[in-house]
Amino acid sequence: QVQLVESGGGLVQAGGSLRLSCTASGRTFSYSHMGWFRQAPGKERGFVAGITWRGDTTDYADSVKGRFTISRDNAKNTVYLQMNSLKREDTAVYYCNALSQWGTRDAMDNWGNGTLVTVSS
């Protein structure tokens, strides 16, 4: 099973940028489609962005399209989320996880602790 550690969150002003990282352990990372998810206070966790194991195809939620960029470095077992033009509504705990199947936007069952992103006005 893949172990996941997210980092890079923090407090940022609206319009600013952050880069999140997720380091995974386990031999299967390089062949896993990966995704970023987020959970805002009082809301369910939802899909943000996904990337195929080759890194050649990406998928974004409409709310972040054009502002966020997902990427990965399989040699480092790491997936990234570059977040630009941040809005207050992006405030959430961000998690990464393997996708159960490309195209479904569904995650596997094991979750890391996430990293908190707070966007102030």
Side-chain angles (χ1 to χ4, degrees):
Q1 197 172 35
V2 177
Q3 304 296 319
L4 305 160
V5 179
E6 300 91 348
S7 63
L11 175 64
V12 63
Q13 286 191 329
S17 298
L18 279 176
R19 188 194 196 203
L20 306 184
S21 299
C22 170
T23 301
S25 63
R27 296 178 296 171
T28 61
F29 173 83
S30 295
Y31 300 102
S32 297
H33 305 315
M34 295 296 296
W36 283 96
F37 300 79
R38 68 185 180 186
Q39 186 168 20
K43 296 186 177 180
E44 292 188 355
R45 185 158 43 198
F47 174 84
V48 174
I51 188 167
T52 55
W53 71 270
R54 293 180 184 270
D56 56 354
T57 303
T58 57
D59 180 28
Y60 296 95
D62 288 344
S63 58
V64 307
K65 200 171 294 182
R67 299 188 298 121
F68 291 10
T69 302
I70 188 172
S71 61
R72 66 189 297 162
D73 184 339
N74 286 344
K76 296 182 178 179
N77 275 17
T78 300
V79 61
Y80 304 98
L81 186 68
Q82 178 67 44
M83 306 186 297
N84 299 329
S85 303
L86 282 161
K87 305 176 181 179
R88 287 192 64 186
E89 51 263 44
D90 295 319
T91 295
V93 179
Y94 284 73
Y95 304 85
C96 72
N97 206 339
L99 299 176
S100 59
Q101 185 176 352
W102 184 252
T104 65
R105 296 183 169 183
D106 293 331
M108 303 298 283
D109 291 335
N110 59 312
W111 294 93
N113 292 325
T115 186
L116 176 63
V117 173
T118 304
V119 183
S120 65
S121 58

